[in-house]
Amino acid sequence: MRAKSRDQTSDTRAWQAFHADNVRTYTAAWLGATRAKHLAIRRDEAAAGLLEHAALLWRYTADESIRSELRDWPPQRRRQLIRDACRYFVRTTYSAQMTTLCAHEALTDDHLARIQSLLLLRDGAQAALDLAAYLAQDLWGKEPKLLFALADVYTQLAKGDEAILQRPDILSIAGKIFAPFQPLLRVELDKDRYWWIFHAAELDQQFTREEESGTLYQRLGLRRPLPRIMKQLPTRVVFDTRYIVMEQPLAAKTTEKTSFLVVTRKSVASLVGTARTRGRVASRSPVILPAARALPVPVVFGPRAIPEEPNRATAQWDASGLPRLPRTQALVLVAEAKSGTLLGAGYFDPATKLITLVEGAWTAFEPYAHATEDLLLVLAS
Amino acid sequence: MNMRSVTVHLSTGPFTVQVFRDPQRFLAHVRDHFVSPHEPWDRVIPRKLLKHVCQKINAPPVRLVEALYERVADAIADGAAFSAALPLYASINERVRAKGGREWEQTTTYFIAAKGFMIICGNHTVKSAYFCAETPSDAAYTLFQRAWKTVKSRCAMKQYVDEKYATVHTRVAVHMESEQNWQRCPNPHQRPRSAFKKRSSPDESIHLPRIFTWEDDYASEI
């Protein structure tokens, strides 16, 4: 045990030295010091590196002087530092790489390794942005452009975040890269903000608990293990080509506060079949609303391509005439009526009582542009 | 296309790996990495060659693929030799347990090339080589630091469960060579510290008494 503790201490110091070394180098590079010129580090890259490593050094030391010393810099210099860093992060290819990797159905070891590398980059970027926000607290009022610059970066990174969040099966494994860092933390990190550090462990615990008790598969009615189900995520719905996982409000006859509903492409077909025979399925299952002429779900506009994104389709239905509508925003699946093939997904907006298609390829919806009666809407209420 | 082998001398003896298992694997890697706009492979492989391959990526002529393979094999040989000589490499031996009780062991070896890309070897073949780049314009210094951090982090992982393939991966042994170089990143793009100290920042107006001493505060305790 003592040896383990000694190893950990040595490791902590190694990481501290690593980040301190980088703070020194990137600071010199950002200031344009002659001693750093041979490194050929661009000014924006140096600013991002300075912030990232200073933030990580603070994370592993809890030494407030690291942040306060930067905070003591004149406002003009801090402003320049943040602008340069934002200019770097906005060019990051994190989102493009993550989206490409997460699109693979089955990942190779190489894909997984690259996702882990990307998560490490994401972690560094978030630490840098948090430090930037800390340094700019007194500048927001005078410098709204600084806020826009940070917002641009967050928007850029969000695309990649969205891609990995839709793949809890990948995140649960790739997130393990942060396990060795957890004992080194000296400051408390926001679990929602740094979800890549904390969720892998939570997913593991959750999955093991549910798997051991057998409740997970019973509840889902599935024989085969599904990818791990994600809780407490910023996004409430996980949607990809194989399955949909959505957080469901308190269901009847269940003691848990929330439960998850998992719909596979196959199970949509069976749900549609049940709907056809019974008209409506039991209260714990999603309510099936055929958008056929028989039921009053008037079409506001039929499927059409989004002008800005011609490959994607949108459509809208007016659900105001339907009974038992959910009080909160709810997911709506759009399926082909005869086969039950899942074509896309949308949202029900309780304020307008409108159902809007937001996920669906135009090629899939084009045949139904003038045949909306052949579509089924599956509303999770 | 003849697959080449590379031999480097590690502390445990000569280590020979084939540069990719077969042409198909190599081509898959070309698409994923070598012509990727996200990775600065043009610093390692002539840009003109990469451009030609990129233009005919769907059905590249054999001669072009062979030319690219030769360049890649050279870069991997140089990178692995640099890493072994430093020494800065790591071997992870892990036991994989699959559903139904089937078990096997696998060893993965990581090298870091001077240009900053990682070389990943397993089962006596090079499985992958890639840059941990956030933007393609990242400096070689940054790329090397990132590769070092990634490999060190991966070595520290203990066990993980791959639910998708129903396998449990448990680390049996991790060998990191040399201990000193994994305690402190031996970035080849950074000059020795003594050279740094002799010159001063041209921007004298900036008050930075401690920022430049942080390293000393923490590093002295290692």
Side-chain angles (χ1 to χ4, degrees):
Chain A
M1 182 66 103
R2 197 172 291 170
K4 191 178 174 184
S5 168
R6 197 166 50 238
D7 279 355
Q8 195 169 308
T9 310
S10 154
D11 211 32
T12 308
R13 287 178 179 165
W15 283 117
Q16 288 173 352
F18 173 73
H19 294 302
D21 207 6
N22 280 301
V23 168
R24 188 185 171 101
T25 304
Y26 285 115
T27 308
W30 186 67
L31 295 173
T34 44
R35 60 190 176 187
K37 282 217 168 125
H38 74 285
L39 292 172
I41 300 174
R42 292 158 61 114
R43 196 172 160 84
D44 55 352
E45 182 185 341
L50 193 168
L51 284 176
E52 174 184 334
H53 290 284
L56 294 177
L57 183 59
W58 169 73
R59 183 194 284 183
Y60 300 131
T61 57
D63 184 350
E64 277 302 328
S65 67
I66 295 165
R67 298 201 306 169
S68 60
E69 217 175 303
L70 284 171
R71 187 87 187 265
D72 291 342
W73 279 16
Q76 200 182 341
R77 197 162 300 284
R78 276 185 283 147
R79 195 160 48 229
Q80 192 58 48
L81 178 70
I82 295 167
R83 273 190 193 157
D84 286 350
C86 287
R87 205 167 56 240
Y88 175 80
F89 286 124
V90 92
R91 285 192 294 115
T92 178
T93 58
Y94 161 80
S95 289
Q97 292 193 62
M98 192 60 100
T99 309
T100 309
L101 288 166
C102 289
H104 288 97
E105 187 75 12
L107 292 185
T108 61
D109 285 348
D110 182 38
H111 292 148
L112 186 65
R114 282 170 62 205
I115 289 175
Q116 287 181 331
S117 306
L118 285 174
L119 285 177
L120 284 174
L121 296 178
R122 178 70 183 90
D123 182 52
Q126 185 63 47
L129 293 171
D130 280 353
L131 179 57
Y134 172 83
L135 297 179
Q137 271 170 7
D138 59 332
L139 303 174
W140 295 140
K142 300 168 205 163
E143 288 282 337
K145 280 186 182 172
L146 218 49
L147 198 60
F148 298 150
L150 275 173
D152 274 350
V153 176
Y154 277 118
T155 311
Q156 175 63 28
L157 296 172
K159 292 173 195 161
D161 292 351
E162 203 178 318
I164 182 80
L165 282 169
Q166 287 181 353
R167 294 295 300 269
D169 54 325
I170 301 174
L171 180 60
S172 63
I173 304 166
K176 286 285 176 73
I177 193 85
F178 293 103
F181 293 105
Q182 285 202 15
L184 312 182
L185 293 176
R186 295 288 176 271
V187 295
E188 199 174 330
L189 296 179
D190 184 334
K191 286 188 177 183
D192 288 333
R193 198 182 282 261
Y194 291 89
W195 45 264
W196 48 86
I197 297 183
F198 300 100
H199 275 304
E202 282 176 11
L203 284 167
D204 259 359
Q205 288 165 5
Q206 165 81 7
F207 192 80
T208 310
R209 229 178 10 248
E210 293 202 338
E211 195 177 34
E212 280 170 0
S213 63
T215 54
L216 179 68
Y217 302 132
Q218 280 170 18
R219 202 167 69 218
L220 302 177
L222 297 167
R223 287 183 208 156
R224 217 159 45 83
L226 270 172
R228 290 145 199 244
I229 290 175
M230 185 164 286
K231 264 193 170 176
Q232 298 160 7
L233 281 179
T235 50
R236 292 166 67 85
V237 179
V238 181
F239 178 86
D240 83 354
T241 53
R242 290 166 302 136
Y243 59 88
I244 295 163
V245 182
M246 68 188 105
E247 199 174 338
Q248 208 181 14
L250 184 66
K253 296 176 187 174
T254 174
T255 52
E256 293 179 69
K257 283 182 183 171
T258 56
S259 64
F260 286 93
L261 176 73
V262 176
V263 183
T264 63
R265 278 178 178 274
K266 281 181 184 170
S267 64
V268 167
S270 67
L271 283 173
V272 172
T274 318
R276 270 207 297 270
T277 52
R278 292 190 196 169
R280 202 175 64 191
V281 291
S283 61
R284 282 190 65 185
S285 302
V287 179
I288 308 290
L289 302 170
R293 287 177 217 142
L295 276 179
V297 192
V299 178
V300 178
F301 60 84
R304 60 179 65 170
I306 299 174
E308 295 83 3
E309 294 177 82
N311 295 331
R312 287 179 63 196
T314 184
Q316 205 165 64
W317 291 267
D318 180 4
S320 57
L322 293 173
R324 295 183 59 216
L325 284 170
R327 288 177 190 170
T328 54
Q329 196 178 51
L331 182 81
V332 179
L333 311 178
V334 186
E336 205 276 315
K338 285 178 190 162
S339 64
T341 309
L342 186 60
L343 299 173
Y347 279 100
F348 165 73
D349 182 357
T352 59
K353 306 275 193 293
L354 291 174
I355 293 168
T356 308
L357 173 70
V358 290
E359 281 282 356
W362 172 234
T363 48
F365 278 94
E366 196 174 1
Y368 306 98
H370 303 290
T372 45
E373 66 277 11
D374 289 339
L375 294 174
L376 278 178
L377 302 185
V378 184
L379 176 67
S381 61
Chain B
M1 194 168 90
N2 292 326
M3 306 309 283
R4 265 173 60 181
S5 288
V6 168
T7 301
V8 287
H9 296 278
L10 307 183
S11 62
T12 48
F15 178 76
T16 303
V17 283
Q18 183 174 303
V19 182
F20 296 102
R21 199 173 71 187
D22 47 49
Q24 285 72 32
R25 290 287 171 122
F26 173 67
L27 272 175
H29 213 78
V30 170
R31 289 189 194 101
D32 280 357
H33 295 282
F34 301 131
V35 297
S36 166
H38 309 311
E39 296 181 40
W41 281 102
D42 56 348
R43 296 180 199 177
V44 181
I45 303 162
R47 192 172 291 181
K48 204 173 171 182
L49 178 59
L50 285 176
K51 198 178 165 187
H52 282 158
V53 175
C54 204
Q55 283 167 343
K56 297 175 180 174
I57 191 68
N58 289 328
V62 175
R63 212 175 278 174
L64 202 56
V65 175
E66 282 177 347
L68 180 64
Y69 181 77
E70 285 302 313
R71 293 287 190 161
V72 168
D74 288 346
I76 286 175
D78 289 349
F82 165 84
S83 190
L86 211 53
L88 181 73
Y89 59 89
S91 288
I92 299 173
N93 185 234
E94 62 183 7
R95 191 167 49 244
V96 187
R97 201 175 69 237
K99 209 173 180 179
R102 198 162 67 89
E103 276 192 14
W104 68 93
E105 284 199 8
Q106 62 185 34
T107 304
T108 310
T109 308
Y110 296 87
F111 296 99
I112 303 176
K115 301 268 185 187
F117 63 89
M118 292 185 345
I119 302 162
I120 304 171
C121 309
N123 295 331
H124 300 289
T125 54
V126 171
K127 286 164 78 177
S128 185
Y130 65 91
F131 283 97
C132 298
E134 194 152 15
T135 74
S137 62
D138 282 347
Y141 171 85
T142 304
L143 293 168
F144 196 91
Q145 294 290 96
R146 291 217 173 107
W148 185 88
K149 182 182 175 181
T150 303
V151 176
K152 189 173 161 73
S153 308
R154 206 162 291 159
C155 288
M157 286 167 70
K158 300 278 184 236
Q159 177 182 317
Y160 67 92
V161 182
D162 188 342
E163 195 56 47
K164 194 160 191 165
Y165 299 106
T167 51
V168 180
H169 298 244
T170 311
R171 294 285 155 85
V172 178
V174 178
H175 176 71
M176 298 172 85
E177 189 76 26
S178 67
E179 195 180 334
Q180 191 189 348
N181 283 336
W182 285 110
Q183 283 288 314
R184 185 142 203 179
C185 178
N187 197 315
H189 306 282
Q190 193 167 28
R191 281 186 198 162
R193 283 174 61 200
S194 55
F196 274 96
K197 284 192 169 178
K198 285 175 188 168
R199 300 173 194 170
S200 61
S201 164
D203 192 345
E204 298 297 337
S205 64
I206 301 167
H207 177 64
L208 292 170
R210 250 181 64 82
I211 275 202
F212 288 100
T213 62
W214 282 347
E215 181 194 26
D216 303 323
D217 290 352
Y218 296 108
S220 60
E221 293 174 17
I222 294 178

